[in-house]
Amino acid sequence: MTKNKPLILITNDDGISAPGIRALIDVMSQIGEVVVVAPDKPQSAMGHAITINNTLYLNKISKESDPVLEYSCSGTPVDCVKLAVNEILKRKPDLCVSGINHGSNSSINVIYSGTMSAAVEAGIEGIPAIGFSLLDYDWNADFDSIKSFVKKITTEVLEKGLPKDVVLNVNFPKLKQDEIKGIKICRQAKALWVEKFDKRQTPQGRDYYWLAGEFVNKDKGEDTDEWALENGYISVVPVQFDLTAHHATQELNSWNWNE
Amino acid sequence: MTKNKPLILITNDDGISAPGIRALIDVMSQIGEVVVVAPDKPQSAMGHAITINNTLYLNKISKESDPVLEYSCSGTPVDCVKLAVNEILKRKPDLCVSGINHGSNSSINVIYSGTMSAAVEAGIEGIPAIGFSLLDYDWNADFDSIKSFVKKITTEVLEKGLPKDVVLNVNFPKLKQDEIKGIKICRQAKALWVEKFDKRQTPQGRDYYWLAGEFVNKDKGEDTDEWALENGYISVVPVQFDLTAHHATQELNSWNWNE
């Protein structure tokens, strides 16, 4: 490997054996020096959880002769990024990519997603980061169709550099390569999950629940990620981790806080 | 209870038996009709995690004669809000309050915090919400000193209504009541945790890690939550869940995405 190759950290939330991360490793190996640190089991919907009340284990699972260094980790996606940066990588990586997620992380899903939280964690640590997701939950989803786009987006980010304190949330429609219309910069659609818990009983008669829900998008804006995906485009949403609602400051300051 | 009393949902991430939530129940019982749905064990740093690969249990732990209805839940803080709204409460609550957290959720901690994620989840569901945290990790922290401020802030929110799609992140300095200088509307300080993993060995000789770190704030702005707290004020940060970095859209649109 030449010294000029970028150092790329890869993680995900579906676990290190998921086909989605394998596709991402394929593409990134064409671009840079790759190190993989990913959960040893599925960690979907873990959000920005970190492990503070339990121990963390790392297992080196690549052989010395393998071209890519791979570690599985007992923690969450965010733990993986923290351990990679502090315990495995010899220098700060040039890029962190997370995914390719099996299923959508568009709209409000960005908040629940372990895939995106790993990218956000890298962003917080000053590492350019992209989360990739395909709108197909199938374990055998067709990742080949989107590999050229993943490569294009990654190359563009490495060349131009991301705006400060911004990471990218990239979602792909479930389409064949030649059906995809292009890439659109979007805003996060204002949508939510409306829950319908599935209430069941254990064999012993105790009630329990399964979280189930329906995704409801009432945001009809044509500048949203949902619109782009429904219309055959790849959505790219710039995501920030300053959660301050700056627009609300003035109104709140007009209240009688200190009387 | 009169029909005019607001319906208030209370949750937290330290667990239903934590003194912090007990203090919050005390205060809210003076204001409205209170229902508590909180984790049955500590769920700190769980971020916006939800339980999708496991079952969820609810336990009614209050007696019929108790003034406050209380349920413990086997899931995360966000699960608690979803279960409360969909399975327990007869109508959408007028307010959701989360905490009082044992320890800070100022600055970047808002992203890792289960307390704040519960408030954000309520916000997503259209419920006015406030997360309260005290900068004291001690189980026996002095919550009495801040009760009057918790009541003041809650009353103000119920009276005025929060700006749309905004929840409040309220942090209290570790000070006696008469030492607190007042309430300040702030922005989230740009700070981060710099990790220092503590590497140890199991009795069998296997390496493992404890996540440990140091909070580093290089943001010297006097409009930040960190500044307010260091200077004896209660910090109130309006928090949004549209993570779109709208300011970055123009720059990203200038890239060669579709060539």
Side-chain angles (χ1 to χ4, degrees):
Chain A
M1 287 177 217
T2 72
K3 280 191 180 173
N4 293 328
K5 275 196 167 182
L7 178 60
I8 302 174
L9 171 64
I10 302 185
T11 191
N12 76 344
D13 74 358
D14 291 315
I16 199 159
S17 57
I21 198 171
R22 294 291 128 198
L24 199 51
I25 295 168
D26 277 357
V27 176
M28 295 302 143
S29 298
Q30 300 166 29
I31 298 173
E33 180 185 347
V34 172
V35 176
V36 181
V37 183
D40 59 13
K41 54 193 168 297
Q43 291 274 351
S44 293
M46 281 303 281
H48 214 97
I50 52 175
T51 304
I52 57 169
N53 291 321
N54 208 341
T55 53
L56 288 165
Y57 289 88
L58 278 176
N59 274 312
K60 189 175 178 177
I61 60 171
S62 52
K63 284 170 270 172
E64 288 305 322
S65 55
D66 290 339
V68 172
L69 195 58
E70 295 193 26
Y71 291 82
S72 69
C73 167
S74 62
T76 67
V78 174
D79 290 331
C80 288
V81 172
K82 288 182 181 287
L83 273 165
V85 169
N86 290 283
E87 294 291 327
I88 297 172
L89 298 172
K90 291 191 178 72
R91 66 175 179 90
K92 188 185 267 199
D94 300 297
L95 182 71
C96 173
V97 290
S98 182
I100 302 170
N101 194 60
H102 293 241
S104 173
N105 282 320
S106 61
S107 179
I108 197 69
N109 296 305
V110 66
I111 285 186
Y112 302 97
S113 161
T115 298
M116 278 310 300
S117 292
V120 166
E121 177 61 28
I124 292 170
E125 301 193 19
I127 302 160
I130 316 170
F132 293 106
S133 306
L134 172 61
L135 271 64
D136 187 347
Y137 290 91
D138 199 318
W139 192 252
N140 299 308
D142 174 20
F143 292 101
D144 285 340
S145 277
I146 62 170
K147 278 182 174 173
S148 66
F149 295 105
V150 170
K151 189 172 180 182
K152 166 75 180 164
I153 292 165
T154 304
T155 310
E156 199 75 2
V157 165
L158 282 168
E159 192 181 304
K160 302 266 176 46
L162 284 173
K164 193 167 155 50
D165 297 333
V166 166
V167 303
L168 298 187
N169 181 16
V170 180
N171 282 266
F172 296 91
K174 185 182 169 180
L175 292 172
K176 296 207 180 302
Q177 185 171 349
D178 58 4
E179 293 169 336
I180 293 176
K181 288 187 190 156
I183 297 167
K184 271 202 188 298
I185 309 299
C186 308
R187 66 172 172 86
Q188 174 186 324
K190 185 173 152 45
L192 80 167
W193 285 88
V194 175
E195 260 64 53
K196 289 177 184 168
F197 282 92
D198 188 352
K199 189 175 180 178
R200 302 184 185 180
Q201 281 199 328
T202 66
Q204 292 75 31
R206 185 176 172 203
D207 290 337
Y208 68 93
Y209 301 86
W210 281 106
L211 178 57
E214 188 193 356
F215 183 71
V216 177
N217 177 24
K218 290 183 178 170
D219 185 342
K220 297 301 171 204
E222 298 193 356
D223 55 348
T224 68
D225 49 4
E226 290 304 318
W227 187 93
L229 291 160
E230 280 164 20
N231 287 277
Y233 292 93
I234 297 161
S235 68
V236 176
V237 176
V239 167
Q240 62 189 350
F241 33 89
D242 174 4
L243 306 190
T244 312
H246 292 282
H247 63 278
T249 304
Q250 197 179 356
E251 181 178 338
L252 290 173
N253 266 321
S254 73
W255 292 14
N256 304 319
W257 292 106
N258 293 307
E259 275 168 22
Chain B
M1 284 178 218
T2 73
K3 281 190 178 171
N4 293 327
K5 273 195 169 183
L7 178 60
I8 302 174
L9 170 64
I10 303 184
T11 190
N12 76 343
D13 75 358
D14 291 314
I16 199 161
S17 58
I21 198 170
R22 293 293 128 196
L24 198 51
I25 295 167
D26 276 356
V27 176
M28 294 303 143
S29 298
Q30 300 166 29
I31 299 174
E33 181 186 347
V34 172
V35 177
V36 181
V37 184
D40 59 13
K41 54 193 168 296
Q43 292 275 353
S44 294
M46 281 303 280
H48 214 96
I50 52 176
T51 303
I52 58 170
N53 292 320
N54 208 343
T55 52
L56 288 166
Y57 290 89
L58 278 175
N59 272 313
K60 190 175 178 179
I61 60 171
S62 52
K63 283 170 271 173
E64 289 305 324
S65 55
D66 290 339
V68 172
L69 195 59
E70 296 194 26
Y71 291 83
S72 69
C73 168
S74 61
T76 66
V78 173
D79 291 329
C80 289
V81 172
K82 287 181 181 288
L83 274 165
V85 169
N86 290 283
E87 294 292 326
I88 297 173
L89 298 172
K90 291 193 178 71
R91 66 174 179 92
K92 188 185 269 198
D94 299 297
L95 181 72
C96 172
V97 290
S98 183
I100 303 172
N101 192 61
H102 293 240
S104 174
N105 281 321
S106 60
S107 178
I108 198 68
N109 296 305
V110 67
I111 285 186
Y112 302 96
S113 161
T115 298
M116 277 310 300
S117 292
V120 166
E121 177 62 27
I124 292 170
E125 302 193 20
I127 303 159
I130 316 170
F132 293 105
S133 306
L134 172 61
L135 272 65
D136 186 346
Y137 290 90
D138 199 317
W139 192 253
N140 299 310
D142 174 21
F143 292 102
D144 284 339
S145 277
I146 62 171
K147 278 181 175 175
S148 66
F149 296 105
V150 169
K151 189 172 180 183
K152 165 76 181 164
I153 292 165
T154 303
T155 309
E156 198 74 2
V157 165
L158 282 167
E159 191 181 306
K160 302 267 176 47
L162 283 174
K164 194 167 152 51
D165 296 333
V166 165
V167 302
L168 299 187
N169 181 15
V170 179
N171 281 266
F172 296 91
K174 186 182 167 181
L175 292 172
K176 296 210 179 301
Q177 184 172 350
D178 58 3
E179 293 170 335
I180 293 176
K181 288 186 191 158
I183 296 167
K184 269 200 189 299
I185 309 300
C186 308
R187 65 172 173 86
Q188 174 185 324
K190 186 173 152 44
L192 81 167
W193 285 88
V194 175
E195 260 63 55
K196 288 177 185 167
F197 282 92
D198 188 352
K199 189 174 180 178
R200 301 184 185 180
Q201 282 199 329
T202 67
Q204 292 76 30
R206 185 176 172 204
D207 289 337
Y208 69 92
Y209 300 87
W210 282 105
L211 177 57
E214 188 192 355
F215 183 71
V216 177
N217 178 23
K218 290 182 176 169
D219 185 341
K220 297 303 170 205
E222 298 192 357
D223 55 348
T224 68
D225 49 4
E226 291 304 317
W227 187 92
L229 292 160
E230 280 165 21
N231 287 274
Y233 292 93
I234 296 162
S235 68
V236 176
V237 176
V239 167
Q240 62 188 351
F241 33 89
D242 174 5
L243 306 190
T244 312
H246 292 281
H247 63 277
T249 304
Q250 196 179 358
E251 180 178 339
L252 290 172
N253 267 321
S254 73
W255 293 14
N256 305 319
W257 292 105
N258 292 308
E259 277 168 23

